[in-house]
């Protein structure tokens, strides 16, 4: 492994993902900018480099097995390994989304990116993460995936796309299971809630900027050895499952 910390951020060409890449890069880390759109990926890398960040592009479609495997090979070749993975790439899916009117095809598409995509990329990167001295995995989730919050009397989380909501609950379950499986490896894996952030994913609703939304992921990516694992966090602390 390189002495420089190496991180991969998926969906890093814009929004919260870009700000996570920028924040980790500002620490002197080398950042793999994972994105499937070549133009946006190249622009993000160029902008990060202009700010003095050691960034390189990683062609990555999280819905494709071959793409994930190729991304792992590229990172191994260009960076010599991987220390931190931030699974940020996600989609909302076609709207509207209420359970009674939801097209099952929409659920499949959303889960393919938001859940299976995380599994696909994580498992492709695990051999390198296992070889790291201080490996970290951060899954970008949302408080809308919290069953505890949804069942709290008097608490209204607002109208939320049903497929997106369920995908984040699904993702949180895998975060817990990964933490149990990897508990003796030194890999810390946690879910992060960035809050309602003004990005294209939220149709620019929300009172938080992408930089603010990125803060919790940066915190979890830089946890010290022995830090929490299998948790769900936002800027205020622990989010109930």
């Amino acid at each position: 492994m390189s002495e420089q910390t190496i991180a991969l951020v998926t969906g890093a060409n814009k929004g919260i993902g870009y700000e996570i890449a920028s924040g980790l890069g500002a620490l002197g880390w080398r950042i793999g900018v994972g994105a499937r759109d070549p133009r946006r990926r190249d622009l993000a890398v160029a902008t990060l480099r202009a700010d003095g960040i050691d960034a390189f592009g990683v062609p990555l479609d999280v819905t494709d097995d071959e793409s994930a495997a190729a991304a792992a090979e590229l990172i191994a070749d260009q960076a010599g390994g991987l220390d931190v993975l931030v699974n940020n790439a996600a989609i909302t899916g076609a709207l509207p989304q209420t359970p009674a009117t939801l097209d099952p095809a929409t659920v499949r598409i959303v889960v393919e990116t938001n859940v299976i995509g995380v599994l696909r990329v994580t498992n492709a990167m695990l051999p390198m993460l296992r070889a790291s001295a201080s490996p970290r995995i951060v899954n970008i989730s949302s408080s809308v995936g919290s069953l505890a919050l949804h069942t709290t009397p008097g608490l209204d989380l607002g109208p939320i796309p049903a497929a997106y909501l369920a995908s984040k609950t699904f993702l949180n379950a895998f975060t817990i299971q990964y933490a149990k499986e990897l508990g003796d490896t030194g890999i810390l894996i946690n879910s992060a809630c960035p809050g309602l952030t003004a990005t294209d994913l939220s149709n620019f609703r929300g009172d938080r900027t992408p930089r603010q939304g990125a803060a919790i992921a940066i915190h979890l990516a830089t946890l010290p050895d022995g830090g929490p694992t299998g948790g769900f966090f936002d800027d205020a602390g622990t989010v109930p499952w």
Side-chain angles (χ1 to χ4, degrees):
M1 290 290 292
S2 166
E3 292 185 3
Q4 185 181 25
T5 300
I6 310 299
L8 169 66
V9 183
T10 70
N13 59 298
K14 58 182 177 177
I16 293 173
Y18 177 86
E19 293 297 340
I20 295 170
S22 177
L24 295 177
L27 301 175
W29 292 15
R30 190 171 189 202
I31 308 298
V33 176
R36 61 184 176 181
D37 185 307
R39 184 185 63 81
R40 289 178 176 174
R41 183 179 63 244
D42 291 346
L43 178 59
V45 169
T47 305
L48 290 167
R49 287 178 176 172
D51 288 338
I53 291 169
D54 186 359
F56 63 100
V58 180
L60 178 57
D61 179 351
V62 303
T63 68
D64 183 83
D65 290 344
E66 292 184 1
S67 179
E73 291 181 7
L74 184 149
I75 293 168
D77 290 342
Q78 291 205 11
L82 186 68
D83 303 289
V84 173
L85 170 62
V86 181
N87 288 304
N88 169 74
I91 61 172
T92 303
L95 301 173
Q97 289 181 17
T98 64
T101 61
L102 190 57
D103 184 345
T106 297
V107 179
R108 292 188 187 99
I109 292 169
V110 172
V111 169
E112 182 65 47
T113 295
N114 297 5
V115 182
I116 299 173
V118 171
L119 293 173
R120 180 178 287 114
V121 173
T122 299
N123 290 345
M125 303 300 160
L126 267 179
M128 288 187 290
L129 291 167
R130 289 179 186 274
S132 169
S134 296
R136 307 288 180 263
I137 302 172
V138 182
N139 293 332
I140 303 302
S141 185
S142 171
S143 61
V144 304
S146 167
L147 296 179
L149 292 179
H150 278 287
T151 55
T152 298
L155 180 61
D156 182 9
L157 296 179
I160 300 162
Y164 177 79
L165 179 159
S167 76
K168 293 305 183 181
T169 305
F170 198 171
L171 176 61
N172 286 345
F174 271 118
T175 296
I176 294 170
Q177 292 302 311
Y178 267 122
K180 290 180 177 180
E181 181 179 0
L182 302 174
D184 61 353
T185 67
I187 298 175
L188 305 183
I189 177 168
N190 294 286
S191 285
C193 172
L196 186 54
T197 304
T199 66
D200 57 356
L201 183 74
S202 65
N203 201 24
F204 295 96
R205 294 185 304 113
D207 56 2
R208 292 172 64 80
T209 67
R211 181 167 294 185
Q212 290 172 321
I216 184 59
I218 293 170
H219 169 69
L220 294 174
T222 57
L223 286 173
D225 291 345
T229 191
F232 189 13
F233 301 96
D234 62 12
D235 287 347
T238 300
V239 180
W241 293 111

